[in-house]
Amino acid sequence: MIIDYGEELPIGFGLSLAMNESAMEQFSKMTEQQKMSVVQRSKEVGSRREMESLVSEVAKGQWSL
């Protein structure tokens, strides 16, 4: 998946989003700056549990810059 600004999603983040409809919906509503911030954070994730936590935050609309 490629975001409008040309940034490619890390595969683990993309798969996690695809498995969580709420997260996918919330991510699509984010501003480009928010999306870039989430993608950057997803690149820094060190475990599956951390990725699940990040995607959960996105799904709940709890993401902030």
Side-chain angles (χ1 to χ4, degrees):
M1 177 183 286
I2 298 178
I3 303 172
D4 292 344
Y5 52 88
E7 180 78 22
E8 195 165 323
L9 287 179
I11 226 155
F13 182 62
L15 290 173
S16 294
L17 274 182
M19 295 187 326
N20 187 323
E21 189 175 333
S22 295
M24 182 70 85
E25 184 178 333
Q26 289 296 326
F27 186 77
S28 71
K29 292 177 183 179
M30 289 180 172
T31 66
E32 291 305 309
Q33 185 177 7
Q34 289 172 317
K35 288 177 184 178
M36 286 191 297
S37 182
V38 171
V39 168
Q40 182 57 44
R41 182 161 166 213
S42 75
K43 291 178 180 180
E44 298 166 359
V45 164
S47 70
R48 181 179 181 160
R49 180 171 283 160
E50 285 180 63
M51 185 65 76
E52 289 171 354
S53 178
L54 173 62
V55 172
S56 179
E57 287 177 33
V58 171
K60 294 175 184 174
Q62 295 176 338
W63 180 259
S64 60
L65 294 176

